[in-house]
Amino acid sequence: MSILYNTLRVGAEKPFTVIHISDTHLTYADMRDGERKVKLAEEERSQSFFHAEEVLQKASALSKELGVPILHTGDLIDFVSLANLERVKGFTDEYDCFFAAGNHEFSLYVGEAWEDADYRNQSLAKVQAAFKNDIRMSSRIINGVNFVALDDGYYLFEDAQTEFVKNEAKKGLPMVLMVHNPIHEPKLYEATMFRREEYGLHPVKNPCAYLTGTPDELRQCYEPMRFRQQQPDEATYRAIEYFRTEPLIKAVLTGHLHVNYEGELVPGVPQIITSTEDIRVIRVE
Ligand SMILES: [Fe+2]
């Protein structure tokens, strides 16, 4: 676990600090959710994310020590369970956390079903109840900087989310987008497809980029399921076109890939990914 330091120059009224973490993947479950979930937690998922509690506690302590909020870009939980949601509620009650949902927030058993709006709606209300802000779209202004959190965990943006950001833009403040899945950019696509080891990603036989907005021609080489899973619809293309051209959008904070990365959505607009194990302390100027 490392603490990484960044500065974002976006035009704040007064410099301030935020903590960015992502993809904590808590894996708590007990018999209230049944044996299948306990087995999923203990025999499959917890091994991959054994550091989750440690990272969350470290970020929480740092947030208190510095007196600054935690910006979390999703997958705080690995799957829906009462024990996970109780842990989240305890965390959001005690610490100041502004949150954008990830795909795992709505995972009932991880990968057991096709994940779409209907699937998400099976658990949305229950999951939402553990958080303080609307986890699918909300905004928060800190020292004249508008942090706008959107759920793109299924590789889609909705027109309602684009309209939401357009309305936020009317406030005239610099904006920082917070989304779980990174938005397609050429360098990041290339890194995930062809230069995985260099970027700290596991080598795999059939890579795919796991980005929102990767066009069809660049997904031709994906496995069929991944091609379809990461297929942008028209609303998603409209959203990204707007995000790329809205001058008030100054930076993107994101996760999902479980690596640290600093790229650019468009020239001059940083897109920053924070990994599952690390904590980023960002000075915003
Ligand atoms: Fe994740």
Side-chain angles (χ1 to χ4, degrees):
M1 192 196 314
S2 307
I3 297 182
L4 310 166
Y5 294 90
N6 287 78
T7 300
L8 283 179
R9 292 187 179 85
V10 303
E13 281 166 8
K14 204 171 88 183
F16 60 99
T17 300
V18 291
I19 291 168
H20 179 226
I21 53 173
S22 200
D23 298 84
T24 315
H25 288 268
L26 294 168
T27 55
Y28 295 116
D30 55 42
M31 283 307 283
R32 288 175 298 170
D33 280 290
E35 200 181 330
R36 182 180 172 194
K37 192 103 45 171
V38 172
K39 274 193 153 174
L40 172 79
E42 288 176 2
E43 293 173 19
E44 295 178 42
R45 305 297 300 175
S46 59
Q47 280 97 352
S48 304
F49 302 109
F50 58 90
H51 50 255
E53 184 59 40
E54 188 190 348
V55 177
L56 191 61
Q57 284 189 21
K58 184 115 194 228
S60 300
L62 199 57
S63 161
K64 271 262 158 85
E65 184 193 320
L66 301 174
V68 304
I70 294 171
L71 308 179
H72 197 299
T73 44
D75 290 3
L76 174 51
I77 57 172
D78 190 57
F79 48 78
V80 179
S81 69
L82 287 168
N84 264 344
L85 293 175
E86 283 169 2
R87 177 67 183 97
V88 171
K89 179 81 168 53
F91 166 64
T92 59
D93 280 347
E94 189 172 356
Y95 301 95
D96 179 3
C97 176
F98 186 60
F99 188 76
N103 51 314
H104 279 264
E105 256 62 59
F106 313 110
S107 285
L108 299 178
Y109 290 94
V110 186
E112 84 288 359
W114 182 258
E115 297 183 350
D116 57 14
D118 286 342
Y119 179 76
R120 179 174 59 227
N121 285 337
Q122 291 181 51
S123 57
L124 178 57
K126 202 159 102 173
V127 175
Q128 175 63 66
F131 290 91
K132 303 298 178 206
N133 66 279
D134 184 329
I135 63 175
R136 300 221 55 237
M137 56 177 134
S138 41
S139 72
R140 175 169 172 180
I141 297 169
I142 307 173
N143 289 3
V145 178
N146 196 358
F147 292 86
V148 181
L150 302 177
D151 168 11
D152 72 338
Y154 296 160
Y155 304 94
L156 297 172
F157 288 110
E158 295 155 31
D159 283 331
Q161 292 175 312
T162 311
E163 284 313 303
F164 180 78
V165 184
K166 284 183 177 172
N167 272 322
E168 290 299 315
K170 288 179 189 158
K171 294 175 181 169
L173 299 171
M175 293 190 283
V176 176
L177 278 187
M178 289 168 49
V179 292
H180 180 66
N181 295 359
I183 299 171
H184 181 87
E185 46 150 304
K187 179 184 144 192
L188 183 51
Y189 174 82
E190 202 202 299
T192 53
M193 296 298 292
F194 311 117
R195 303 167 71 182
R196 294 182 63 85
E197 283 174 86
E198 189 185 322
Y199 282 89
L201 291 153
H202 298 296
V204 288
K205 208 166 137 227
N206 293 310
C208 66
Y210 298 106
L211 307 176
T212 299
T214 302
D216 286 1
E217 64 272 20
L218 294 177
R219 300 191 336 281
Q220 292 298 349
C221 52
Y222 292 11
E223 287 171 349
M225 189 283 272
R226 297 295 180 192
F227 181 91
R228 184 176 156 224
Q229 176 196 49
Q230 295 165 42
Q231 184 156 21
D233 61 9
E234 289 306 313
T236 302
Y237 281 125
R238 277 194 290 275
I240 293 174
E241 176 59 20
Y242 168 61
F243 300 155
R244 285 182 178 139
T245 53
E246 169 55 66
L248 287 170
I249 294 178
K250 304 293 187 189
V252 184
L253 298 178
T254 178
H256 193 46
L257 297 181
H258 299 193
V259 289
N260 295 306
Y261 168 86
E262 294 177 38
E264 285 185 319
L265 177 65
V266 289
V269 177
Q271 172 157 259
I272 294 175
I273 304 176
T274 301
S275 85
T276 181
E277 293 180 25
D278 300 311
I279 297 170
R280 211 180 275 280
V281 175
I282 303 178
R283 180 177 161 89
V284 186
E285 296 179 353

